Amino acid sequence: EDEILKRLESGGKSLLTITPTGNIEHIGLQTCDPWNESDAERASIKSKQPAFSDKAVRDAMALLVDRKGVQDFIYGRTGQATPNFLNNPPRVRSPNMKYEFNVDKANQVLDAAGWKPGSDHMLHNANGELLTIEFLDFEAAFERITVPYTDNLKRIGVDASWRLVDPSQYERRVKSFDFDVTTQRYALRL
């Protein structure tokens, strides 16, 4: 996207003014199991979503977010790929938050935790259960970030998919905790 803006600027067709904001785009994991009640509460924090109850799966997912690719090829000058929730003004940005993109390390983490490729070349746990993760979105704009991420998950054998639904279905599924992963945009004003 930034490449298009640069071409417009160089051709004298446009002038871009970039103003840093506190807006963020966020990938959120559903860590509660929406289908099992605990203390008569659905999606209780005491229940665990099967795939994400394994810390190795959460760690591997973090290693597969290519923030540099998002920065270079999607955000460009117009945004900042960062592990922080708060980025502007700079005084609130933590220098201690780090991230790493490493497909090989993600594979090693999952392998050490017992997630092994089956005859279908997909990852299965010791019980033979397939590692399946669905990303739920209602805005096609998130496809540019979510699809490369699901592609990285597929590269290591995760049955990953991206589902685009209409806003009302999205709201219903999120309110009933019927999702694995979702993306959200927050407009933060400081």
Side-chain angles (χ1 to χ4, degrees), residues 32-48:
C32 302
D33 184 352
W35 308 114
N36 291 311
E37 289 185 8
S38 178
D39 298 330
E41 181 181 5
R42 186 167 179 212
S44 166
I45 197 163
K46 294 177 185 176
S47 68
K48 299 296 178 201

Side-chain angles (χ1 to χ4, degrees), residues 113-138:
W115 291 93
K116 308 284 184 192
S119 59
D120 57 359
H121 306 288
M122 304 299 283
L123 292 177
H124 298 264
N125 65 14
N127 297 328
E129 298 165 328
L130 179 65
L131 181 52
T132 303
I133 299 171
E134 180 187 72
F135 287 72
L136 180 68
D137 278 317
F138 70 94

Side-chain angles (χ1 to χ4, degrees), residues 72-88:
D72 293 347
F73 301 109
I74 298 172
Y75 292 159
R77 300 168 293 155
T78 63
Q80 178 182 9
T82 171
N84 293 310
F85 255 76
L86 298 175
N87 294 296
N88 282 307

